[in-house]
Amino acid sequence: MADPGARFGFDFVTTLVGSGLTLLVTAGIVRYGDRFQWTTTELYALGGGGLLVVGLLLGLLFVATGSK
């Protein structure tokens, strides 16, 4: 059953927050990436992996608590 609160099939607020967080991580990598021993590509992979793990953990927490 579709969620009546999400008319277009996804939540705009979640999308905007996720995009904003991704842009902040990207800006941090571009600005401070030369201070690390890893390449820019590796830093992008670490940032993306970190966001993925946090998203999965939050999703599992919401499912476990019965939140929508």
Side-chain angles (χ1 to χ4, degrees), residues 8-34:
F8 299 108
F10 58 92
D11 186 359
F12 281 117
V13 174
T14 303
T15 302
L16 291 175
V17 170
S19 298
L21 185 58
T22 302
L23 287 172
L24 285 174
V25 169
T26 301
I29 290 171
V30 170
R31 176 70 171 101
Y32 301 107
D34 59 343

Side-chain angles (χ1 to χ4, degrees), residues 1 9 11 13 27-28 30 32 35 39-40 45-46 51 64:
M1 183 170 163
D11 186 359
V13 174
V30 170
Y32 301 107
R35 298 183 184 186
T39 65
T40 303
L46 288 171
L51 291 174

